[in-house]
Amino acid sequence: MSKKPCNHEYLAATEFGKAQICRECGVVHLHIQNLTMRFEVADFLGLADTLADAAIQARTGDKEKAKRAGFTVLKSSQRLN
């Protein structure tokens, strides 16, 4: 039984963290400081969309919305598989 080793390709790298993908396995490796998470590509894309939306809101969000308590779903999750 010979399993071919993963071939990681960088998607992004900053001083905060890095993201790599193995296109053969379909797995994204997200490294943030001393934490590593592995995601299927569709799940990683869902997380990336959520974080991108959150970053936009954090940068440009309404001050009144920031003061309001509670949790609001801005976008429903959609699985690709």
Side-chain angles (χ1 to χ4, degrees), residues 24-76:
E24 292 177 26
C25 296
V27 173
V28 174
H29 300 260
L30 182 60
H31 307 276
I32 301 171
Q33 296 178 0
N34 63 348
L35 175 68
T36 298
M37 295 177 280
R38 296 180 344 167
F39 297 93
E40 291 183 14
V41 173
D43 294 332
F44 172 76
L45 293 173
L47 175 62
D49 289 344
T50 301
L51 292 174
D53 290 346
I56 291 168
Q57 290 298 318
R59 287 187 177 110
T60 63
D62 204 14
K63 289 183 181 180
E64 290 303 314
K65 286 183 183 178
K67 291 179 184 177
R68 186 178 59 190
F71 179 78
T72 304
V73 175
L74 299 175
K75 187 177 189 181
S76 63

